[in-house]
Structures are given as structure tokens and as C-alpha cells.
């Protein structure tokens, strides 16, 4: 182990960032809190698709022998204000820094490096999962700081399907078992894709995803060419290292559904899937099919958590998952403290507006139900 003083640097060149792949991957493997979104494959590919020239600011810490022991993947945010935010953007569910588990000096060295950076810019880290390495930096931070709530995620224990069925009422569990028996009777089989198969499989997945959501408000970015290019670049090496799994579900030889799951030693998360609309006509419960497969593979590989990632959609709630709230960490120096207050205030105003919109929508639905109950011909209207 090196006894020299750690040294820091800021990587601003995307080619230099690309050349960090091997040592970044080694550090990623030594950081137990890391999620797949901190892998070099994901971050570098994201930068090639979404990055802006001149904005890269990746903070690196090396020991006296030059080994990489900590890293913070940052960039200059767009706009006139000096703000540094995470690589990965809106398509990334968890943000974090990397700290070598076996090098206690990595934390103070990275924190001090970020404090120097914060003299001229606010650091704004979105979607920080509880227990992330970035929370240790936040705890150690000596300057102004603020923690705000961010997206809600839903998580299940990584156990086989029977264990998940024990979480829900017995009558609902019986209905799910009947749906799974129907799946087996149809003969839908799951094929886990190998590295060389990934590009073609992702093309089919995205095509199925578009068809599945056609006319129902698909996320626009998921249909973009830059998103497709990002996934194709990032996922193949992740599959080959065990950081991702692509599964195709086939019926009579045809691919009728596909799923991309991202994986780290502690956690697996279903990131994106697509299903042929014809499965709805066959009354196939696609969510149960994907969950059974994901639960089996995740538990078999020794992970503790099966994450449904961001969002609290109704279909996820059926399984009684545990809600886990991501955090937003704002870190400033004395000179950027006013910017922290401005950013935190704007975030609070947006949360208030979103809460008001949800309350108005709920009130509107409740009023519509009440009006419906009073109409002639309804159960309460006595028609």
C-alpha cells in the first residue's frame, strides 16, 4: 500500500476520460456502494451521447503510486450560473462518487478536492441513493450544504417469486400463480443474451418499447437515436462484465418481450423493457413475467435488493415494495453559498408546485366520482 500523499486532478478531456476505463473499472469494483450507473461504460457512453464540449469536470484522486482511489464524475451544468452536476442526466436513476473501500484516506482527499472545486461553483448531486458514498462526503463537508428530497424508488428483497408472493394477500397471490401457469402453458421461454447478441437485442427491445407505448405517451427520449446509441455502446461491455443482463422472451420462436436489467454486487434494477401489444390480447401479465425472471436471476446471483428504480407506478405497488427516497445533495464553499440558497429555494418551489398539481388532480378525480354517483342510472342514483 502506498504511503505517499494523495494527489488530485480534474479530467476535462473526453478522450482522457475514455482512457480511464481500466482503472475506473478497477476502482468501481472496490467501491461496494456503487451501482451500475457509476460504471465507466455507462458514464463515458452517456457523455458521448449527451455531453457538451468543454463541460467535463471529472475529479480524480490518486495515491502516491498513481493508483486511482476516488473519483467524482461531474460536469458544468448548462446555463449562466457556475454549477457542477453529475454525469448521467435524467436517464440515470442513481448518482454517486467512487471511494476505494480499502483506502480510508480516499474520503478526506476527495472531499478536500471537491471543496476546492466548490470555491468557484456549486456542486449539485441529484438522485443519491441512501447509503451512497456521496453521503459520506456530505457528512464530512465543512462548508455550506443542504440535503433535499429527490425521486422515490421502490425496492423488493431479492428472493425467488414464491417469496415475493408471500408479501401480498393470499387471494392476489393465487391470481398471480394462475397467470404464471398460463404463461408456462403458452410456452414463453426466456433467453439471456450474450455480449455479441446485445446490439441486435437492444434494437428489438427499443422497437418493442415503442410499440408497447404507441398512442399512450412514450417517454420521448427513449425513442431518440442518441439514447439508442448510448445503450448500444454501454450495455455490451456491461453484459460481458456482469453489470447488466438483457433477456428476450420468445413465443413460437418470435421475440415478444425484452428486458434490460442493470446489476451491481448488492442491487439489480429493471431499467427498460418492451412488449408486443399482442400479449395484451392474450391476457399475458407482462409485469409478473418480468418480475419472476428478475427475481430468480437476482436471487440466484446473491444480490440483496431487486429495485424497481424511480417511480411509484400503480403496477409496482401490487407487490408491497419498500419506498426508498433518493436525496439531492447541495455542496458549496463560502463564495457559492448564495447560489446554494437560490438553488434550494427554486427546488422547494418546484416541489410545492408539483404537490399542488397532484392535489388538484386528485380533487378533480374525486369530484368526478361524486358527480357520477349522483347520475340517474347509477347504483346510488336509483335508476
Amino acid at each position: 500500500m502506498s504511503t505517499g500523499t494523495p494527489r488530485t486532478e480534474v479530467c476535462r478531456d473526453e478522450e482522457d476520460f475514455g482512457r480511464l476505463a481500466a482503472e475506473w473499472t478497477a476502482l468501481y469494483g472496490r467501491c461496494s456502494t456503487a451501482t451500475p450507473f457509476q460504471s465507466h461504460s455507462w458514464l463515458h457512453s452517456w457523455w458521448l451521447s449527451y455531453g457538451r464540449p468543454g463541460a467535463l469536470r471529472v475529479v480524480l484522486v490518486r495515491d502516491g503510486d498513481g493508483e486511482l482511489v476516488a473519483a467524482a464524475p461531474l460536469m458544468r451544468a448548462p446555463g449562466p450560473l457556475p454549477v457542477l452536476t453529475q454525469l448521467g442526466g435524467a436517464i440515470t436513476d442513481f448518482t454517486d462518487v467512487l471511494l476505494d473501500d480499502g483506502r480510508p484516506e480516499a474520503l478526506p482527499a476527495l472531499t478536500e478536492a471537491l471543496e476546492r472545486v466548490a470555491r468557484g461553483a456549486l456542486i449539485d448531486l441529484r438522485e443519491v441513493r441512501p447509503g451512497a458514498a456521496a453521503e459520506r462526503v456530505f457528512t464530512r463537508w465543512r462548508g455550506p450544504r443542504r440535503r433535499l428530497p429527490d425521486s422515490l424508488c421502490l425496492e423488493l428483497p431479492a428472493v425467488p417469486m414464491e417469496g415475493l408472493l408471500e408479501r401480498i394477500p393470499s387471494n392476489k397471490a393465487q391470481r398471480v400463480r394462475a397467470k404464471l401457469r398460463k404463461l408456462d402453458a403458452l410456452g414463453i421461454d426466456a433467453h439471456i443474451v450474450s455480449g455479441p447478441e446485445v446490439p441486435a437485442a437492444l434494437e428489438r427491445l427499443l422497437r418493442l418499447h415503442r410499440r408497447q407505448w404507441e398512442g399512450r405517451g412514450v417517454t420521448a427520449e427513449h425513442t431518440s437515436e442518441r439514447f439508442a446509441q448510448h445503450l448500444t455502446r454501454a450495455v455490451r461491455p456491461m453484459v460481458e462484465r456482469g453489470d447488466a443482463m438483457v433477456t428476450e422472451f420468445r413465443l413460437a420462436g418470435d421475440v415478444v418481450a425484452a428486458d434490460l436489467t442493470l446489476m451491481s454486487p448488492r442491487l439489480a434494477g429493471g431499467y427498460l423493457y418492451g412488449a408486443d401489444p399482442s400479449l395484451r390480447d392474450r391476457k399475458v401479465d407482462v409485469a409478473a413475467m418480468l418480475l419472476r425472471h428478475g427475481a430468480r436471476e437476482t436471487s440466484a446471483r446473491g444480490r440483496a435488493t431487486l429495485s424497481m428504480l424511480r417511480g411509484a407506478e400503480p403496477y409496482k405497488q401490487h407487490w408491497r415494495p419498500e419506498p426508498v427516497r433518493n436525496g439531492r445533495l447541495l455542496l458549496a464553499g463560502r463564495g457559492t453559498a448564495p447560489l446554494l440558497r437560490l438553488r434550494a429555494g427554486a427546488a422547494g418551489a418546484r416541489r410545492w408546485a408539483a404537490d399542488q398539481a397532484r392535489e388538484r388532480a386528485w380533487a378533480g378525480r374525486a369530484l368526478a366520482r361524486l358527480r357520477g354517483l349522483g347520475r340517474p342510472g347509477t347504483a346510488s342514483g336509483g335508476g
Side-chain angles (χ1 to χ4, degrees):
M1 181 178 293
S2 171
T3 57
T5 302
R7 58 184 177 85
T8 61
E9 59 189 87
V10 178
C11 175
R12 299 168 180 254
D13 181 82
E14 72 175 36
E15 292 186 1
D16 289 342
F17 185 35
R19 285 189 283 268
L20 287 171
E23 52 185 336
W24 190 286
T25 300
L27 172 60
Y28 170 80
R30 300 193 302 271
C31 181
S32 59
T33 60
T35 75
F37 298 106
Q38 282 75 61
S39 69
H40 187 272
S41 295
W42 183 269
L43 293 171
H44 184 247
S45 176
W46 182 89
W47 177 260
L48 294 178
S49 282
Y50 296 91
R52 296 176 299 106
L56 193 65
R57 303 286 191 277
V58 181
V59 179
L60 307 172
V61 178
R62 300 182 181 278
D63 68 10
D65 296 328
E67 183 178 24
L68 190 64
V69 296
L74 303 176
M75 66 176 186
R76 172 75 183 255
L81 299 177
V83 176
L84 296 181
T85 190
Q86 74 284 346
L87 301 188
I91 65 170
T92 293
D93 289 70
F94 300 128
T95 289
D96 204 359
V97 300
L98 295 178
L99 292 170
D100 190 324
D101 292 336
R103 307 298 292 272
E105 71 275 17
L107 173 60
L110 180 63
T111 305
E112 290 170 11
L114 292 174
E115 286 173 344
R116 289 193 292 274
V117 168
R119 292 171 188 164
L122 174 70
I123 299 174
D124 184 354
L125 301 180
R126 302 291 307 269
E127 307 299 354
V128 177
R129 187 170 182 267
E135 290 194 329
R136 296 164 60 196
V137 173
F138 182 85
T139 299
R140 194 180 179 89
W141 195 261
R142 294 173 294 186
R145 60 183 183 171
R146 186 78 61 85
R147 185 196 302 268
L148 304 174
D150 220 329
S151 298
L152 183 68
C153 299
L154 299 178
E155 296 184 353
L156 291 167
V159 297
M161 192 64 173
E162 276 303 314
L164 297 180
L165 289 172
E166 292 174 359
R167 300 174 63 86
I168 63 178
S170 59
N171 59 335
K172 291 184 178 180
Q174 288 303 320
R175 288 198 292 270
V176 173
R177 290 187 181 96
K179 292 176 179 179
L180 294 175
R181 287 194 295 270
K182 182 176 181 178
L183 278 174
D184 295 335
L186 283 173
I188 297 178
D189 66 282
H191 166 67
I192 297 176
V193 170
S194 65
E197 300 174 286
V198 164
L202 288 177
E203 184 178 348
R204 288 189 289 269
L205 187 158
L206 290 170
R207 185 166 59 247
L208 286 168
H209 185 74
R210 288 192 296 270
R211 290 186 62 197
Q212 168 193 341
W213 291 101
E214 191 172 8
R216 296 192 294 150
V218 66
T219 301
E221 188 56 38
H222 291 166
T223 67
S224 71
E225 182 59 27
R226 64 180 181 178
F227 180 74
Q229 291 174 353
H230 160 63
L231 283 189
T232 301
R233 275 192 307 263
V235 172
R236 177 172 179 174
M238 294 175 74
V239 164
E240 292 172 341
R241 285 195 305 271
D243 295 331
M245 177 176 66
V246 179
T247 306
E248 293 190 322
F249 298 85
R250 298 172 177 172
L251 177 61
D254 296 326
V255 177
V256 293
D259 171 75
L260 169 60
T261 295
L262 303 183
M263 301 183 295
S264 63
R266 293 185 178 182
L267 172 146
Y271 182 73
L272 190 72
Y273 76 94
D276 193 305
S278 66
L279 293 179
R280 290 199 298 269
D281 300 333
R282 292 174 175 265
K283 308 298 184 185
V284 171
D285 189 331
V286 174
M289 178 180 72
L290 297 177
L291 186 60
R292 178 173 68 171
H293 177 73
R296 179 172 60 239
E297 294 299 323
T298 302
S299 59
R301 300 182 191 210
R303 293 174 175 86
T305 301
L306 179 59
S307 176
M308 297 178 172
L309 301 182
R310 289 178 296 175
E313 296 85 351
Y315 78 89
K316 297 179 181 179
Q317 301 288 355
H318 295 324
W319 301 96
R320 296 189 173 179
E322 298 296 327
V324 178
R325 177 73 66 177
N326 285 348
R328 181 177 185 177
L329 306 184
L330 298 175
L331 305 170
R334 287 192 180 89
T336 52
L339 185 54
L340 183 152
R341 292 191 290 271
L342 178 66
R343 196 88 163 178
R350 284 193 294 271
R351 286 198 307 276
W352 180 86
D355 290 343
Q356 293 299 304
R358 281 192 293 270
E359 287 184 13
R360 286 194 296 270
W362 178 87
R365 289 193 297 269
L367 181 59
R369 286 195 295 270
L370 288 172
R371 287 172 175 168
L373 289 173
R375 290 174 185 163
T378 64
S380 63

